[in-house]
Amino acid sequence: MPAGTLYRGREGMWSWVAHRVTGVLIFFFLFAHVIDTALVRVSPEAYDETIEIYKNPIVSVMEYGLVAAILFHALNGLRIVAVDFWEKGPRYQKQMFWIVMGIWVVLMAGAAYPILNHAFREVFGS
Amino acid sequence: MALIENAPKITGGGPALEAPRSKRSPRSTKTNFELYAWLFMRLSGILLVVLVIGHLIIQLIIDGGVTRIGFAFVAGRWANPFWMTWDLVMLWLAELHGVNGLRTIINDYAERDQTRFWLKVLLYTSALIVLFTGTLVIFTFDPNIGQ
């Protein structure tokens, strides 16, 4: 650890960094998503054509990445709430980080088939 | 400022305490805005976990996921006031939660006053666009627009 830095590394700092990065990512997606949904006010065709983009295999993989960011931000957010409001939260923040990662891996595995099977079929046929 | 300057110097066993390096800004102590913003992030965050994960399950997981989304799908869901309310609450909470998060990030990393100011102008303008457009679309949605 270089002298004169507040950054302590390990689970505490890296979860905080990841929380910021995923938060910014989700924020920019929300902007795009509200605008694309607003096309229902233009015409059914305009909306349907734009939503076709989401059904593209590459975009489906990006969507899976977005879900990864949202799930991490949600689970780590609950951990932050526990650290701030639960009297033993600060003491168990490290353990809670690994619980967050465990649940995240399970949820990501469960979301893989429903989100990616359409893209997979389109690329490899069947 | 006078308060701090006139404060008695504490002289105990050790050397006298120096005056604080930076003077307390009266602006930051006037209101509890930052406390409420901090609390809002936690409360809205808990609600958003339910609203957003529910939204993802409906849009991406349940029978066919994204492949079935289209104008007819939106029309079907927004025929129900329950889903209109769900989407409206989710829109407002997510946007305000995101704006406050980005405000914190700008305050942390943008050091020049001019940079902070313009980044915040951009941030708040984008928030107004998103909240106005999103709310308008939910309330004025017309399932028969194509006819």
Side-chain angles (χ1 to χ4, degrees):
Chain A
M1 186 61 56
T5 177
L6 286 168
Y7 296 103
R8 299 269 79 124
R10 304 199 57 96
E11 293 87 345
M13 184 194 105
W14 290 111
S15 64
W16 170 83
V17 170
H19 204 76
R20 293 202 150 183
V21 172
T22 53
V24 171
L25 210 91
I26 298 162
F27 183 78
F28 286 130
F29 171 74
L30 179 62
F31 184 87
H33 186 45
V34 169
I35 302 304
D36 71 52
T37 304
L39 290 171
V40 294
R41 215 52 208 89
V42 176
S43 76
E45 293 74 27
Y47 181 74
D48 288 346
E49 275 164 33
T50 308
I51 289 305
E52 279 305 307
I53 298 170
Y54 282 95
K55 300 171 188 175
N56 176 291
I58 295 164
V59 181
S60 289
V61 174
M62 289 164 72
E63 192 86 47
Y64 190 60
L66 177 73
V67 169
I70 290 172
L71 287 178
F72 175 80
H73 200 85
L75 294 167
N76 190 56
L78 294 175
R79 169 177 162 271
I80 293 171
V81 171
V83 168
D84 286 350
F85 292 107
W86 177 38
E87 53 180 330
K88 289 178 184 154
R91 205 192 314 161
Y92 292 117
Q93 65 89 10
K94 203 174 278 187
Q95 285 89 331
M96 286 195 291
F97 172 77
W98 290 106
I99 293 171
V100 162
M101 291 317 288
I103 300 172
W104 181 82
V105 167
V106 171
L107 292 180
M108 284 307 286
Y113 181 77
I115 295 175
L116 296 173
N117 83 86
H118 165 72
F120 192 83
R121 269 164 224 224
E122 201 146 295
V123 173
F124 297 103
S126 93
Chain B
M1 295 307 103
L3 234 150
I4 292 168
E5 280 154 14
N6 296 341
K9 292 277 182 295
I10 298 162
T11 48
L17 280 180
E18 300 277 331
R21 258 176 301 175
S22 55
K23 291 179 177 175
R24 203 173 286 241
S25 135
R27 238 183 121 233
S28 64
T29 52
K30 223 188 234 168
T31 71
N32 281 332
F33 177 77
E34 291 300 339
L35 171 69
Y36 293 128
W38 175 87
L39 195 61
F40 172 78
M41 292 310 264
R42 271 100 195 129
L43 297 179
S44 62
I46 293 169
L47 288 170
L48 281 165
V49 170
V50 177
L51 292 169
V52 172
I53 292 182
H55 181 72
L56 290 178
I57 290 171
I58 294 164
Q59 306 291 326
L60 297 178
I61 307 286
I62 291 175
D63 57 24
V66 76
T67 56
R68 76 206 195 291
I69 296 177
F71 186 84
F73 182 80
V74 176
R77 293 194 69 227
W78 282 351
N80 187 337
F82 176 83
W83 294 117
M84 286 174 71
T85 313
W86 180 298
D87 287 352
L88 189 71
V89 174
M90 187 168 61
L91 168 74
W92 278 79
L93 288 181
E95 184 63 25
L96 293 177
H97 187 104
V99 163
N100 193 52
L102 263 89
R103 183 183 69 90
T104 308
I105 290 175
I106 293 170
N107 282 340
D108 276 358
Y109 302 117
E111 290 179 3
R112 288 181 54 230
D113 281 352
Q114 284 273 312
T115 319
R116 278 167 176 244
F117 175 79
W118 287 110
L119 283 175
K120 284 183 192 173
V121 167
L122 192 68
L123 175 67
Y124 299 142
T125 310
S126 82
L128 286 176
I129 293 171
V130 166
L131 289 173
F132 177 79
T133 315
T135 307
L136 184 82
V137 166
I138 293 174
F139 278 118
T140 67
F141 177 72
D142 174 11
N144 302 315
I145 193 172
Q147 286 134 44

